[in-house]
Structure formats: C-alpha cells, structure tokens
Amino acid sequence: MVAAWLGNVAYYYASQRPAREPALLAPERLAAIVALYETGENRAALGDALHTSGLEIDIESAPLRPGGTTPPEDAEPMRLPDGRTATVTPVASTGRLVNRLTRTRQGYRFQIGLRTGETLVITAHNPSSLNYAGLPVGIVAGLIGTLIALASLVIMHREMAPLRRLAEAADAIDLSGSSPPLPQSRSSAPEIRSLVAAFNRLQARLATLVASRMVMVAGISHDVRTFATRLRLRLEQLPDSETRDRAVRDVIDIVAMLDDAIVATRAGVGELSEELLTFADLVREEVGGRGELGAPVTLVVADDATDASVLGDRLALKRMIANLVDNAVKYGARAHVSLTAAPGSVVFTVDDEGPGIAESDRALLLEPFVRLEASRNRATGGAGLGLAIVKGLVEAHGGSITVGDAPGKGARFVLTLPTFSL
C-alpha cells in the first residue's frame, strides 16, 4: 500500500510539469522591465517594487559583451521586441530529488545589456511544489495517514484473531464436554472477551444438557427393558402359539429399537468406549450366529483382512454388522457378506438379492425414519432407524457407508472403517 501511494505521488509530480515554466519570462515582460530601468531615475525603489520571492533583479556595471560580463556556456539567446538580445541561463536544481526526476529547472537567469553600458541581471525562480524539507507538499500528512492505516490494520487483525478461533471452536464443538474452553486474551477488546466468555458458558451448558439427557435416556431404557422382559415372559404363557409368537417378536423389536437408540445417542455425544478389536472376529460372530439359526447368509473373509484391527466400541460395531445383515435378509432374501482390506482401512460389504435401491433414494435411505414403500413396509417391522443408526455409528468411528448395486441384482452396502496402526 505504501509503495502504491508513493508511486502515485511520483506520477503526479512527474505529470505536473507545465508546457511553459513560470520562471521562463516572456520577451515582452523582459522588455518592459528593461524600459523601466532605462527611463526610471530611482532604480533602488524600482528594484524594491519588482523584487519578490520568485524574482530578483540586479545591475552589474560591466557590459555584457567582450571585455565585460561573459555569458555562461549553457546560455541561450532570446530576442526581445525592442531588437535587443537577452542571454538565458537555466538555474539547475540542487539536492531536490523531485525536481531532478521531473526535470524542472529551479529557475532562469536573464542577462540584458542596457544602453548605459550596464548589464541587467534578472533571476526568476519557479514556484516550488516542495516544502522546506525538500519533500512534496502533503507527503508528511500522507505518510502519517499511511502509518495510521497500517496500525489500524494490525489492531484489527489482532482483534479478529479471537473471532476466528471462536468460529473454529463453534465448528468443532463437542457435545461430550471434552472441548476445552476458549482462552481469553487480555489484550482484546472488552466486547470480544465478553463474547468468548459467553461461548464458553454456552458450551458448558450444552455439555451438561447432553449429559443429563443421556442419564434420562439410560434410565428410561432400563425401565422399559424391564417391563418388556416381564411382558415377554407373560406372553410366552399364552395358549395361542401364532398370536404369542407375533407378540414376542414385537417385544423383541421394541427392545432392539431401544438398544439402537441408546447406542446412537452415545455415539452422538462422543461417549462410545474404545478398545482394540479384530473386526473379522466380530463379523464371524454375528454372521455365524445368524447362520446357525437358519438365516440365508454367506461369509467370505479375505486373507489380508483376517487380522485387521479397529479401535472402537464393541457393541456399536456389532450393531452395525447386525443391522446391515438383518436388513439384507429381511428385504433382500439373502445376505452375501464379504470382508476385505484396503490401504489403512477394512471394507465390510453386504449384498442382497432384492429389487435393489434406486439411485435417487440411496442418500435418503440413510436418514432416520425413512422406509422405501416398495419393499420396506410395516409388514416387515421396524421404524426406519436401522440404516440411520449404522451411518451415525460408522461416522463416529471415522468411517463411511455407501449404497450401491450388487452384482447381478439387489442392493450393496459398503462399510469402510479405518484400521488401527501404530
């Protein structure tokens, strides 16, 4: 900014050179001054009257021609209206950078021979655009203004730093209460300090609110599970086996939905436990258990994925596996499960043999309470939370889930989790 301002100043002064310099007096004016000196009797009073800060007049007793005053080598002749010739000598600038850059003369010296044999010396000075320090007029004020602007920018940048940290903290807020409070800066404005303090209080209140909600949900879940267990025991004593079996399945669905809600809530507030687990063992356990109960499931584990370890919550990981496999069996007739390894991750894939999922419905299917009416209706049970819970749990573990097409037909769900490495 300073360089641009100085460049503009230099351009301004370079472009301000007039077509005719004020110090280069016109021949008619010189002739008039000469006439006054030749006809006037009181030359001293005349000199005082004509003398200004830009015009000096002296009389040398020696004539201008040979034997008298000799014109300088760089003198140039100027023809006057009365037929006389004046010699014009430029007065070079001394020590002023602006004048040298703009090639502006400091002034001109005119030497004119009088009829009395004397030499009239007139020195005219160009009006200076510089101050007494040799700087352009206004440059000091400009420099002061520039310095004030730079200081203002520095202060503004310093005051904006807490706001940037506040924005970053708001984006990374952790409802589990593990986010540290923003540090206060004593050099910040009082308003900024008040804003940071208010944000810290808000963050603490949110963490307290979430913790209280977790306690409430856990208590409700415990009580509901107790009542559901009692209800199941009583239902098993009913004589009608078909009605009893349907009621028992409903109770089992209620308990499963409660478990899903608890796990999803824990993931949402960052309260999942962490332990080092071999993911292939969890997959074999969940898929093998369903196979023993007669569910149409197959499992293929790649050699490079057998020992892949992940850092996560055991219950949450098993819930992800179970939800995807159960969905494939329930809505796609069969579940073809495979486990492979990729650089830095393990890939869990579930294919089914159902009608598949339209590409326009895939992103929506991962949202809570979404059920595709064509194949997922109330007759199959559930509330549309299974896949949404899987998405929340896998993202809490730093992974991702995608929905695609299985080879041939059906839907494919791909779960990617980062592997643990030292």
Side-chain angles (χ1 to χ4, degrees), residues 255-309:
V255 174
M257 187 169 61
L258 283 173
D259 291 340
D260 285 345
I262 289 293
V263 174
T265 303
R266 290 172 54 201
V269 297
E271 291 191 359
L272 294 175
S273 62
E274 289 187 345
E275 56 180 307
L276 193 59
L277 302 167
T278 302
F279 192 66
D281 293 343
L282 299 179
V283 174
R284 291 191 183 98
E285 180 181 347
E286 292 296 319
V287 175
R290 283 156 178 76
E292 293 175 359
L293 296 176
V297 295
T298 61
L299 173 62
V300 177
V301 179
D303 294 337
D304 56 355
T306 301
D307 299 324
S309 298

Side-chain angles (χ1 to χ4, degrees), residues 85-238:
T85 301
T87 59
V88 184
T89 306
V91 179
S93 300
T94 56
R96 288 190 170 181
L97 178 62
V98 174
N99 280 344
R100 292 202 299 272
L101 290 176
T102 59
R103 295 176 298 173
T104 301
R105 304 292 186 181
Q106 187 171 343
Y108 291 90
R109 179 176 290 108
F110 304 89
Q111 294 175 300
I112 307 166
L114 300 178
R115 292 190 179 92
T116 60
E118 299 168 307
T119 300
L120 182 65
V121 180
I122 302 174
T123 304
H125 300 280
N126 280 316
S128 178
S129 60
L130 308 178
N131 57 25
Y132 290 106
L135 298 174
V137 175
I139 193 171
V140 176
L143 286 175
I144 293 175
T146 302
L147 292 176
I148 292 175
L150 289 176
S152 301
L153 288 176
V154 172
I155 295 174
M156 184 179 298
H157 183 271
R158 188 190 66 180
E159 292 297 328
M160 291 298 105
L163 295 181
R164 287 193 294 270
R165 291 196 297 267
L166 179 62
E168 294 170 358
D171 289 336
I173 191 170
D174 188 355
L175 296 180
S176 65
S178 60
S179 299
L182 283 176
Q184 284 282 11
S185 176
R186 294 183 178 180
S187 59
S188 298
E191 293 79 5
I192 300 296
R193 294 199 299 270
S194 299
L195 180 61
V196 172
F199 176 81
N200 288 335
R201 292 193 298 270
L202 174 63
Q203 186 171 244
R205 286 197 297 269
L206 287 175
T208 302
L209 178 63
V210 171
S212 301
R213 187 184 67 173
M214 277 295 302
V215 173
M216 181 184 67
V217 171
I220 294 174
S221 174
H222 178 270
D223 293 341
V224 173
R225 285 176 62 89
T226 301
F227 289 123
T229 302
R230 294 177 184 175
L231 180 60
R232 180 178 177 180
L233 291 175
R234 293 175 181 176
L235 289 173
E236 290 176 349
Q237 299 176 4
L238 293 177

Side-chain angles (χ1 to χ4, degrees), residues 203 261 315 399 412:
Q203 186 171 244
L315 180 60
R412 164 171 286 187

Side-chain angles (χ1 to χ4, degrees), residues 56-79:
E56 299 175 1
I57 301 177
D58 295 316
I59 295 179
E60 297 180 356
S61 58
L64 182 61
R65 292 294 174 237
T69 301
T70 304
E73 295 181 358
D74 57 349
E76 296 181 0
M78 175 186 288
R79 191 74 174 176

